Amino acid sequence: MEMKKRLTLELRNKKPGEVKELVLDNCRSDDGKIVGLSSDFENLEFLSMININLLSVSNLPKLNKLRKLELSDNRISGGLEVLAERTPNLTHLNLSGNKIKDINTLEPLKKLPNLHSLDLFNCEVTMLINYRESVFTLLPQLTYLDGFDADDQEAPDSDPEADGDGLEDEYENGEEGEEEEDDDEEDDLDEEVIDEEDDEDDDLEGEEEEDGVDDEEEDEEEDGEDEEDDEADDDLPRGEKRKRNLEDEGEEDPEDEEDDEDD
């Protein structure tokens, strides 16, 4: 995508003066030069033009409020005096992966009094003997070179106050706290439901046990009655007992039959 078209898309119906951040990474520059960008972007603070085949920054407009400039993975080999002229308040400059070979190429950056972070990763200049000491000597305003200060202390990843990370963390922590409370409430409800189910099961088991006891008592009573009947039968004379049994079975006593025949 051409740089002019990319600029139009990034504006999203905004006026150039309303834009504070502009990312044009991986688009196509015009003959290795910046096109479409003008001084109308007067409030621009962050500009990224990574991997756009840029050979020169000579067409960079005047951007007094620009603080951070990303130019990594291009083919810039010099002409850095333009930065001092047109971005006087620059604090961060990334030239990693460009064609910078000599320390003297960086000398124009001395005119950027607020520049405190410079990145030159994968530039040939980093292979020079005493590279770091030479750059810190040339640019005394620098705090960090390639992510480390002169004492090899690593630069912080970001400024929490500037990025608003602190607020995001608090918001996330607040959400996590609410989620934990909701989970606790759900667990409590689940436990109450389980307790209620256990109570119902206990009641059912109790009723079943009572039913079982009643059935056993009824069986015992019936058995008792049968035993009493048997005992009563044992007390009767043998003839009476046999007669009673026959009557129970619906048969007639042979003696009675004989009596009937005699009659």
Side-chain angles (χ1 to χ4, degrees), residues 97-116:
N98 279 280
K99 304 296 182 181
I100 298 172
K101 300 178 180 180
D102 302 319
I103 295 291
N104 292 335
T105 305
L106 304 172
E107 190 166 357
L109 301 181
K110 292 170 63 175
K111 296 180 180 179
L112 290 171
N114 298 314
L115 185 67
H116 71 263

Side-chain angles (χ1 to χ4, degrees), residues 1-7 9-10 21-29 34 37 46-54 68-74 94:
M1 184 183 293
E2 295 181 354
M3 184 175 285
K4 283 185 178 180
K5 187 175 181 180
R6 179 66 178 274
L7 267 171
L9 291 175
E10 291 294 330
E21 297 185 2
L22 185 60
V23 178
L24 304 174
D25 300 347
N26 303 310
C27 66
R28 291 197 303 271
S29 60
I34 298 169
L37 200 61
F46 173 81
L47 174 61
S48 183
M49 294 185 290
I50 297 173
N51 189 32
I52 64 171
N53 201 31
L54 201 61
K68 189 171 183 177
L69 180 60
E70 293 278 348
L71 296 172
S72 59
D73 298 327
N74 285 294
N94 191 341

Side-chain angles (χ1 to χ4, degrees), residues 154-203:
E154 189 173 5
D157 291 336
S158 61
D159 183 357
E161 294 182 359
D163 296 341
D165 290 342
L167 293 175
E168 291 179 1
D169 291 341
E170 289 180 4
Y171 179 72
E172 290 174 358
N173 290 335
E175 286 185 345
E176 289 176 358
E178 291 176 359
E179 290 177 357
E180 289 177 359
E181 290 179 0
D182 293 340
D183 292 340
D184 292 340
E185 290 178 359
E186 290 178 0
D187 292 340
D188 292 339
L189 290 174
D190 292 339
E191 289 179 359
E192 290 178 1
V193 171
I194 292 170
D195 291 341
E196 290 177 358
E197 292 177 354
D198 291 341
D199 292 341
E200 291 176 0
D201 293 339
D202 293 340
D203 293 340

Side-chain angles (χ1 to χ4, degrees), residues 27-216:
C27 66
R28 291 197 303 271
S29 60
D30 189 359
D31 294 329
K33 295 181 180 180
I34 298 169
V35 292
L37 200 61
S38 68
S39 56
D40 291 338
F41 291 86
E42 55 187 0
N43 292 311
L44 197 62
E45 297 179 3
F46 173 81
L47 174 61
S48 183
M49 294 185 290
I50 297 173
N51 189 32
I52 64 171
N53 201 31
L54 201 61
L55 293 169
S56 170
V57 290
S58 59
N59 285 0
L60 188 68
K62 183 79 169 179
L63 301 170
N64 287 325
K65 293 187 177 181
L66 192 69
R67 297 175 60 240
K68 189 171 183 177
L69 180 60
E70 293 278 348
L71 296 172
S72 59
D73 298 327
N74 285 294
R75 295 189 292 164
I76 299 169
S77 59
L80 300 182
E81 60 276 358
V82 174
L83 299 179
E85 294 171 4
R86 300 175 189 177
T87 57
N89 293 303
L90 202 64
T91 61
H92 293 71
L93 176 61
N94 191 341
L95 291 168
S96 300
N98 279 280
K99 304 296 182 181
I100 298 172
K101 300 178 180 180
D102 302 319
I103 295 291
N104 292 335
T105 305
L106 304 172
E107 190 166 357
L109 301 181
K110 292 170 63 175
K111 296 180 180 179
L112 290 171
N114 298 314
L115 185 67
H116 71 263
S117 179
L118 175 64
D119 289 315
L120 297 168
F121 287 114
N122 297 323
C123 292
E124 289 185 41
V125 68
T126 62
M127 305 300 292
L128 298 176
I129 298 174
N130 297 325
Y131 150 70
R132 290 182 59 81
E133 291 82 355
S134 299
V135 174
F136 277 117
T137 300
L138 178 67
L139 306 173
Q141 77 272 35
L142 277 186
T143 303
Y144 299 105
L145 175 62
D146 300 332
F148 292 85
D149 64 14
D151 297 324
D152 288 332
Q153 297 295 316
E154 189 173 5
D157 291 336
S158 61
D159 183 357
E161 294 182 359
D163 296 341
D165 290 342
L167 293 175
E168 291 179 1
D169 291 341
E170 289 180 4
Y171 179 72
E172 290 174 358
N173 290 335
E175 286 185 345
E176 289 176 358
E178 291 176 359
E179 290 177 357
E180 289 177 359
E181 290 179 0
D182 293 340
D183 292 340
D184 292 340
E185 290 178 359
E186 290 178 0
D187 292 340
D188 292 339
L189 290 174
D190 292 339
E191 289 179 359
E192 290 178 1
V193 171
I194 292 170
D195 291 341
E196 290 177 358
E197 292 177 354
D198 291 341
D199 292 341
E200 291 176 0
D201 293 339
D202 293 340
D203 293 340
L204 290 173
E205 290 177 1
E207 291 176 0
E208 290 176 356
E209 289 178 357
E210 290 178 359
D211 292 340
V213 171
D214 293 340
D215 293 340
E216 289 178 1

Side-chain angles (χ1 to χ4, degrees), residues 217-235:
E217 290 178 353
E218 290 176 1
D219 294 338
E220 289 177 357
E221 289 177 358
E222 290 177 359
D223 292 341
E225 291 176 358
D226 293 339
E227 289 176 359
E228 289 177 0
D229 292 339
D230 293 339
E231 290 175 358
D233 291 341
D234 291 340
D235 294 340

